[in-house]
Amino acid sequence: SWHVAADHPRTRGWNTVNNDKAAKAEDNRDLRTNYDMVELPDSFIFDYAINGKITSLDKKTFVEKLKKVQRVVEVITILDDENFTSGKEQDVEVAIRMRECGHDCNIAISHIYWA
């Protein structure tokens, strides 16, 4: 949530994933010592789906669930059920999206943890 819209002008005007182009590796590092959460619009909605079951969080609920654990690291738990797979190995499909905020909302995912 610390990525402000101005940080990503590259995506303005995009209507498809990667603007139908292959991604380029560019070094745009921003080593901040601290940050404030970007103000999300009241209309903000965070959707996630696990194996096709969609859950939507409004702005208030999303902000309540979001935890700042390090300088520029925020986490959100979307599944906490140790019996989810009934002890059996299986593929699990996860999807996320942010709605109702246009290009004013950005997210950077560096890790997805599971146990």
Side-chain angles (χ1 to χ4, degrees), residues 11-36:
T11 60
R12 292 215 185 275
W14 286 17
N15 295 314
T16 59
V17 175
N18 289 335
N19 204 26
D20 289 328
K21 297 178 184 173
K24 295 179 181 178
E26 296 180 15
D27 185 12
N28 292 324
R29 296 183 69 189
D30 184 1
L31 301 177
R32 299 176 188 197
T33 57
N34 205 350
Y35 67 93
D36 293 321

Side-chain angles (χ1 to χ4, degrees), residues 6-110:
D7 286 345
H8 301 284
R10 179 180 332 160
T11 60
R12 292 215 185 275
W14 286 17
N15 295 314
T16 59
V17 175
N18 289 335
N19 204 26
D20 289 328
K21 297 178 184 173
K24 295 179 181 178
E26 296 180 15
D27 185 12
N28 292 324
R29 296 183 69 189
D30 184 1
L31 301 177
R32 299 176 188 197
T33 57
N34 205 350
Y35 67 93
D36 293 321
M37 183 173 178
V38 174
E39 182 62 33
L40 299 169
D42 290 337
S43 59
F44 174 83
I45 300 171
F46 181 84
D47 296 321
Y48 64 90
I50 300 173
N51 286 348
K53 182 177 182 257
I54 300 170
T55 301
S56 298
L57 306 177
D58 62 13
K59 174 187 172 179
K60 180 179 183 284
T61 306
F62 176 78
V63 170
E64 288 171 356
K65 290 180 69 91
L66 196 65
K67 305 294 182 226
K68 183 177 176 180
V69 295
Q70 285 290 328
R71 175 179 60 89
V72 291
V73 177
E74 294 168 319
V75 298
I76 187 167
T77 301
I78 61 172
L79 177 63
D80 188 11
D81 178 0
E82 59 187 55
N83 296 315
F84 179 73
T85 63
S86 301
K88 299 175 185 169
E89 184 177 317
Q90 67 175 293
D91 291 338
V92 176
E93 181 181 83
V94 177
I96 64 164
R97 78 173 165 181
M98 297 180 298
R99 294 188 288 136
E100 305 301 326
C101 57
H103 288 280
D104 292 334
C105 297
N106 295 278
I107 191 169
I109 299 174
S110 62

